[in-house]
Amino acid sequence: MSKQTKFLLNESQMPKAWYNINADLPFAPEPVLHPQTLEPVTPDFLSVLFPMSLILQEISTEQYIEIPEPVQEVYKLWRPTPFFRAHRLEKALDTPARIYYKYEGVSPAGSHKPNTAVPQAFYNKEAGVKALTTETGAGQWGSALSMACNHFGLDLEVYMVKVSYQQKPYRRNLMQVYGADVYASPTDRTNYGRSVLAENPDSPGSLGIAISEAVEVAAMSGGAKKYSLGSVLNHVLMHQTVIGEEVLMQLEMADDYPDVVIACTGGGSNFGGFAFPFLRKNLQDGKQTKIVAAEPAASPSLTRGKYAFDYGDTARMAPVVKMHTLGHTFVPPTIHAGGLRYHGMSPIVSALVDHDLVEARSVKQLDTFKAAVTFARAEGIVPAPEPTHAIAVAIDEALKCKESGEEKTIIFNLCGHGHFDMAAYDAYFRGALEDFEYPEAEIEAAMKLLPVVG
Amino acid sequence: MSKQTKFLLNESQMPKAWYNINADLPFAPEPVLHPQTLEPVTPDFLSVLFPMSLILQEISTEQYIEIPEPVQEVYKLWRPTPFFRAHRLEKALDTPARIYYKYEGVSPAGSHKPNTAVPQAFYNKEAGVKALTTETGAGQWGSALSMACNHFGLDLEVYMVKVSYQQKPYRRNLMQVYGADVYASPTDRTNYGRSVLAENPDSPGSLGIAISEAVEVAAMSGGAKKYSLGSVLNHVLMHQTVIGEEVLMQLEMADDYPDVVIACTGGGSNFGGFAFPFLRKNLQDGKQTKIVAAEPAASPSLTRGKYAFDYGDTARMAPVVKMHTLGHTFVPPTIHAGGLRYHGMSPIVSALVDHDLVEARSVKQLDTFKAAVTFARAEGIVPAPEPTHAIAVAIDEALKCKESGEEKTIIFNLCGHGHFDMAAYDAYFRGALEDFEYPEAEIEAAMKLLPVVG
């Protein structure tokens, strides 16, 4: 136990560029389609919602894109983040595997989300935008963008999924500290929100609905407001690659390299940010690391959804993309991993799964909390409900090593702490948490509503 | 703004010894008195509550005490902690002062408290103890000791001040994740708790009452359980000096030295841990750093209490020590900085204030939250309510520099994050927070109940 626990980088070692996996994919990207015409969109269409600099990043095939100096300056408030060898967890599991985790919970917002919030706020500010709109599930994204907008002097409207707004008032308060305006979605502030409420006044909301509201407000603002998305899009995943790039350096310090790389995935940004640099090594340097995307059994787009063109939002205002989807009408059950409650998935991550370059696994809610408590009692840190999915898979892999005697190296991303989510742990200990299984028939019915393309 | 933001140490640079200021004090320590006889206690009396190794530390005059290897191993889960130059806060205040802060919120419990919880659990384990009892105010201490007891396989009963138990359920849940049993004090589990409830069934509790309960359970256990205290005692303050020792190294990295050192104080452990290494430099190396203890105006032991012998707890079961006290019958108003709600103060810190080696200042609750929001919007991190007292004083000092044009170096300890305390921020923004002023007549009345010594 006297071996090294933490692998730290100095801020001078912080990555100076983001990695764009679009430069290295062994297949052509699928087109992004207009939600009404179902024809490929032009940058002009996207410019209603995004500044041109981010649109150019979205379609870029440059392998690396430089991180602007003002973004690096804000990153320094918490980056580089620590990388841990989980000596105590290994001992608790009695496994010959070496387990490491990257810890993104040291950011002021408590998660990895500021990694893209900060550049998005920066590029919007640079483009002369005065205000942003966004949605948030559990509140990680909303609080990260609130912090970023505050740093760059932008106003922000956050549409927060109602069930999270109620379950997680602390994250809402955090957004208020940073000066953002937060609304429980569905709201009566938008045409779409009003239509949802008319049909079901008790709607718990969903990420899809909240996206539609935030998009509507930006699209109807006549250019005054732009929209910011916390996951799914290429440029968002790219901004998160600072995580994996740091881990590559930290693994060199540890003189190790992973056999298994695991991250949880909702829209895909945490997964992409952690795993894409390792995919580059697989694609270019002949590494054969197994790369696992862990998702909730209650919102199983990668493991039970269809790889097809679908709308990114519920109101069919967002572009149509090819992705693993449960159907844009899917409203996931109210699991505590609110950040993973999304009907779709990043198109890149979907394509990688479709090409067998990434393996997808789903984990049930009770199993994730069991893994989380095992982890917290071993390592101290209490994880947010989202990364518990990665922890559960990592523990599974380590226990397989125990059976086989293999000394594999397993790494995962601990993308946020659970200090905002203690009510979920309370429910777990009280026996009040449930597993959810989405009926196959409902998935089949939702698939009938997919847009017919080509 | 391209200057360095964070000063990081590697775990190999972690201090290997705690600093014991008792070796360097320019005055003799006052005796510790038995609560019944008011005669000096012997180590035997204390051994009902504490293992002999900690009692020996309590009375030691060795300048440095080695940190045991197993304690260092647990420290490595979060130590060394980062030290920040507050470039953004300086800019927001438009001050010529250089402001730095140490950040202890990166510990798994979110505060500095594990620095002493871990060695206390370790020494008890080594002495063959099976279970500990303790009290907790806001829950920082309880959650830290829960984590530490879990690491060393000890059972733990936590008596949590009732108002915090109700206001801060998340910290209670955190203790449960680490496997502790948590009770809202006053409880009906102890003679003293029952007597308090008989007099006032709605008692909000206080740290003094909770101490009495935890002490009673340990004292009545026939040796099966020992008691653990999160502040006030010499050995507790000493364990916290890892903070200040790290800061000395980090200031060398920054090529700077403070003119003003500021930390908040409730029982004194955060203050002592941060400031004592700088006091050593003042006492021994001729440095002339101003050292400021910041306390709540609502619980103003240093600024309005009397320097006198008093009981450490409300039930007069704990030893009698010479300290700044508001009287052991004082129940502080229910401010959100629950960790600072104590009628007394560390005897060492009290003596240092009495000898004008430390300056005490009180801050009103509303001013602390105003300072906290200024800090959070500048630096990102949302502080716990306790360190906001230090932030308020640091901002005051920086604004004085702005007036005078002095380029002073100001450092303070950000001893915990506020992610468990967002309800307090919510109350602040809703205008529901109050300032409290303890009437002079009540302080005078409480002083009449002090034990008459000598």
Side-chain angles (χ1 to χ4, degrees):
Chain A
M1 288 293 289
S2 68
K3 287 166 294 179
Q4 194 165 349
T5 298
K6 277 191 311 301
F7 300 89
L8 299 178
L9 300 167
N10 288 313
E11 56 189 45
S12 62
Q13 297 170 286
M14 205 164 67
K16 302 288 181 290
W18 296 299
Y19 169 56
N20 180 14
I21 199 171
N22 274 328
D24 293 331
L25 290 179
F27 45 79
E30 300 283 348
V32 173
L33 309 181
H34 191 288
Q36 270 99 54
T37 65
L38 300 180
E39 296 294 326
V41 298
T42 58
D44 279 356
F45 169 80
L46 295 172
S47 69
V48 175
L49 298 180
F50 304 105
M52 196 48 69
S53 45
L54 288 176
I55 295 170
L56 292 177
Q57 288 188 359
E58 185 66 17
I59 57 176
S60 168
T61 52
E62 294 282 314
Q63 198 182 17
Y64 293 96
I65 291 181
E66 207 180 314
I67 305 174
E69 184 71 21
V71 171
Q72 292 196 39
E73 287 303 322
V74 180
Y75 275 178
K76 285 180 189 172
L77 293 175
W78 72 94
R79 305 212 69 85
T81 62
F83 184 63
F84 288 86
R85 171 81 182 268
H87 291 298
R88 287 183 153 67
L89 181 61
E90 291 169 17
K91 198 175 166 192
L93 300 175
D94 190 23
T95 175
R98 288 183 298 283
I99 307 175
Y100 298 84
Y101 57 97
K102 179 72 164 170
Y103 184 38
E104 291 288 310
V106 294
S107 86
S111 80
H112 66 296
K113 290 291 188 186
N115 297 333
T116 183
V118 172
Q120 289 195 47
F122 167 77
Y123 288 116
N124 273 288
K125 178 73 177 182
E126 238 196 354
V129 175
K130 300 290 178 220
L132 292 181
T133 71
T134 198
E135 72 292 330
T136 194
Q140 284 111 327
W141 169 241
S143 49
L145 191 63
S146 300
M147 184 186 83
C149 283
N150 164 66
H151 277 315
F152 290 103
L154 292 168
D155 288 337
L156 175 64
E157 287 177 31
V158 182
Y159 293 83
M160 184 172 187
V161 176
K162 192 182 277 171
V163 61
S164 292
Y165 187 94
Q166 290 161 343
Q167 276 181 356
K168 305 189 174 181
Y170 279 21
R171 280 227 179 79
R172 165 165 46 94
N173 297 334
L174 182 57
M175 294 184 245
Q176 291 166 336
V177 169
Y178 295 132
D181 295 318
V182 188
Y183 306 101
S185 166
T187 73
D188 60 4
R189 297 173 54 84
T190 65
N191 291 328
Y192 186 64
R194 284 187 291 271
S195 76
V196 172
L197 289 172
E199 204 166 303
N200 176 12
D202 298 324
S203 165
S206 73
L207 218 45
I209 295 169
I211 292 173
S212 297
E213 292 209 277
V215 164
E216 180 182 325
V217 171
M220 299 303 180
S221 72
K225 302 173 184 175
K226 295 280 181 189
Y227 166 74
S228 176
L229 188 65
S231 191
V232 180
L233 298 176
N234 300 348
H235 68 272
V236 179
L237 275 62
M238 185 189 72
H239 296 156
Q240 293 291 356
T241 59
V242 287
I243 304 172
E245 294 297 337
E246 287 181 8
V247 173
L248 280 172
M249 287 187 270
Q250 289 165 315
L251 280 164
E252 263 184 46
M253 294 168 74
D255 195 22
D256 211 337
Y257 196 84
D259 300 294
V260 190
V261 167
I262 306 158
C264 68
T265 187
S269 78
N270 167 64
F271 173 78
F274 187 62
F276 285 177
F278 293 94
L279 264 162
R280 179 180 71 230
K281 296 281 182 189
N282 277 5
L283 293 168
Q284 302 203 322
D285 300 352
K287 298 281 187 188
Q288 299 200 312
T289 299
K290 178 161 75 176
I291 297 184
V292 183
E295 68 178 7
S299 191
S301 53
L302 284 174
T303 49
R304 295 181 63 201
K306 188 169 172 182
Y307 184 50
F309 279 92
D310 196 8
Y311 302 95
D313 69 334
T314 308
R316 298 178 295 177
M317 293 173 64
V320 168
V321 294
K322 191 161 186 188
M323 62 180 174
H324 284 84
T325 179
L326 295 158
H328 57 275
T329 52
F330 174 74
V331 178
T334 57
I335 54 169
H336 281 272
L340 308 182
R341 293 180 66 236
Y342 183 54
H343 70 271
M345 181 56 63
S346 142
I348 302 180
V349 175
S350 296
L352 288 165
V353 169
D354 190 60
H355 284 80
D356 292 327
L357 295 168
V358 165
E359 184 181 327
R361 287 200 215 159
S362 71
V363 190
K364 290 180 180 174
Q365 178 160 258
L366 285 171
D367 290 337
T368 66
F369 278 91
K370 186 179 168 211
V373 171
T374 299
F375 179 83
R377 291 188 176 171
E379 295 291 318
I381 301 169
V382 177
E386 291 81 6
T388 63
H389 294 75
I391 296 173
V393 172
I395 289 178
D396 265 4
E397 290 286 322
L399 292 177
K400 278 188 218 159
C401 288
K402 183 179 176 178
E403 256 177 55
S404 68
E406 285 173 292
E407 294 183 15
K408 282 188 183 172
T409 298
I410 300 165
I411 73 170
F412 67 89
N413 194 25
L414 183 51
C415 56
H417 70 60
H419 290 176
F420 287 110
D421 306 283
M422 298 311 301
Y425 285 90
D426 185 40
Y428 173 69
F429 285 117
R430 282 189 289 108
L433 274 198
E434 290 174 74
D435 280 334
F436 296 91
E437 197 83 37
Y438 203 63
E440 194 60 37
E442 283 187 40
I443 296 183
E444 276 168 34
M447 290 305 137
K448 293 198 177 122
L449 300 172
L450 295 185
V452 180
V453 170
Chain B
M1 287 294 290
S2 68
K3 286 167 295 181
Q4 194 166 348
T5 298
K6 277 192 309 301
F7 300 89
L8 299 178
L9 301 166
N10 288 313
E11 58 188 46
S12 62
Q13 296 169 286
M14 206 164 65
K16 301 289 181 291
W18 295 299
Y19 169 56
N20 181 15
I21 199 171
N22 273 327
D24 294 330
L25 289 179
F27 45 80
E30 300 283 349
V32 173
L33 309 181
H34 191 287
Q36 270 99 54
T37 65
L38 299 181
E39 297 292 327
V41 298
T42 57
D44 279 357
F45 169 80
L46 294 172
S47 69
V48 175
L49 298 181
F50 304 106
M52 196 49 68
S53 45
L54 288 176
I55 296 169
L56 293 176
Q57 288 188 359
E58 185 67 15
I59 58 176
S60 168
T61 53
E62 294 281 315
Q63 197 183 18
Y64 292 96
I65 292 181
E66 206 180 314
I67 305 174
E69 185 70 23
V71 172
Q72 292 196 39
E73 287 303 322
V74 180
Y75 275 179
K76 286 180 189 171
L77 293 175
W78 72 93
R79 303 213 70 82
T81 61
F83 184 63
F84 288 86
R85 171 82 182 269
H87 290 297
R88 287 186 153 66
L89 180 61
E90 292 170 17
K91 198 176 167 192
L93 300 175
D94 189 23
T95 176
R98 289 184 297 283
I99 308 174
Y100 299 83
Y101 57 97
K102 178 73 164 169
Y103 185 40
E104 291 288 309
V106 294
S107 86
S111 80
H112 67 296
K113 290 291 188 187
N115 297 332
T116 183
V118 172
Q120 289 196 47
F122 167 77
Y123 287 116
N124 272 288
K125 178 72 177 185
E126 236 196 355
V129 175
K130 301 286 178 225
L132 293 181
T133 70
T134 198
E135 72 292 330
T136 195
Q140 283 111 327
W141 168 242
S143 49
L145 192 63
S146 301
M147 183 186 82
C149 283
N150 164 65
H151 278 313
F152 291 104
L154 293 169
D155 288 337
L156 175 63
E157 286 176 31
V158 182
Y159 294 82
M160 185 172 188
V161 177
K162 192 183 278 171
V163 61
S164 292
Y165 187 93
Q166 291 162 342
Q167 276 181 355
K168 305 188 175 182
Y170 279 21
R171 279 227 179 79
R172 164 165 48 93
N173 297 334
L174 181 58
M175 295 184 245
Q176 291 166 334
V177 169
Y178 294 132
D181 294 318
V182 189
Y183 306 101
S185 166
T187 73
D188 59 4
R189 297 172 53 85
T190 64
N191 291 328
Y192 185 64
R194 284 187 291 271
S195 75
V196 172
L197 289 172
E199 207 167 300
N200 177 12
D202 297 324
S203 165
S206 73
L207 218 45
I209 294 169
I211 292 173
S212 297
E213 292 209 277
V215 165
E216 180 182 327
V217 171
M220 300 302 181
S221 72
K225 301 172 185 177
K226 296 280 181 191
Y227 166 73
S228 176
L229 188 64
S231 192
V232 180
L233 298 175
N234 299 349
H235 68 271
V236 179
L237 274 61
M238 186 188 72
H239 296 156
Q240 292 291 356
T241 58
V242 287
I243 304 172
E245 295 296 340
E246 286 181 8
V247 174
L248 280 172
M249 287 188 270
Q250 289 165 315
L251 280 163
E252 265 185 47
M253 294 168 75
D255 195 21
D256 211 337
Y257 196 84
D259 300 294
V260 190
V261 167
I262 307 158
C264 68
T265 187
S269 78
N270 167 65
F271 174 78
F274 187 63
F276 285 178
F278 293 93
L279 265 162
R280 179 180 71 229
K281 297 281 181 189
N282 277 4
L283 293 168
Q284 303 204 323
D285 300 351
K287 298 280 188 190
Q288 298 200 312
T289 299
K290 178 161 75 175
I291 297 185
V292 184
E295 68 178 8
S299 190
S301 54
L302 285 173
T303 50
R304 296 181 63 201
K306 188 170 171 182
Y307 184 49
F309 280 92
D310 196 7
Y311 302 95
D313 69 332
T314 308
R316 299 177 294 178
M317 293 174 64
V320 168
V321 293
K322 192 162 185 188
M323 61 181 175
H324 283 84
T325 179
L326 295 158
H328 57 274
T329 52
F330 173 75
V331 178
T334 57
I335 54 169
H336 281 272
L340 307 181
R341 294 180 66 235
Y342 182 54
H343 70 272
M345 180 56 62
S346 144
I348 303 179
V349 175
S350 296
L352 288 165
V353 169
D354 190 58
H355 284 79
D356 292 327
L357 296 168
V358 165
E359 184 182 326
R361 286 199 216 161
S362 71
V363 190
K364 289 181 180 173
Q365 179 160 259
L366 286 171
D367 290 337
T368 66
F369 279 91
K370 187 181 165 208
V373 171
T374 299
F375 179 83
R377 291 187 176 171
E379 295 290 319
I381 301 170
V382 177
E386 291 80 7
T388 62
H389 294 76
I391 296 172
V393 172
I395 289 177
D396 265 4
E397 290 286 325
L399 292 177
K400 278 187 218 161
C401 288
K402 183 179 175 179
E403 257 176 55
S404 67
E406 287 174 292
E407 294 183 14
K408 283 188 183 172
T409 297
I410 300 165
I411 73 170
F412 67 89
N413 194 24
L414 183 52
C415 57
H417 70 61
H419 290 176
F420 287 110
D421 307 284
M422 298 311 300
Y425 285 90
D426 185 41
Y428 173 69
F429 285 117
R430 282 189 289 108
L433 275 198
E434 290 174 75
D435 280 335
F436 297 92
E437 197 82 35
Y438 202 63
E440 193 61 35
E442 282 187 41
I443 295 184
E444 276 168 34
M447 291 303 137
K448 296 200 175 118
L449 300 172
L450 295 184
V452 179
V453 170

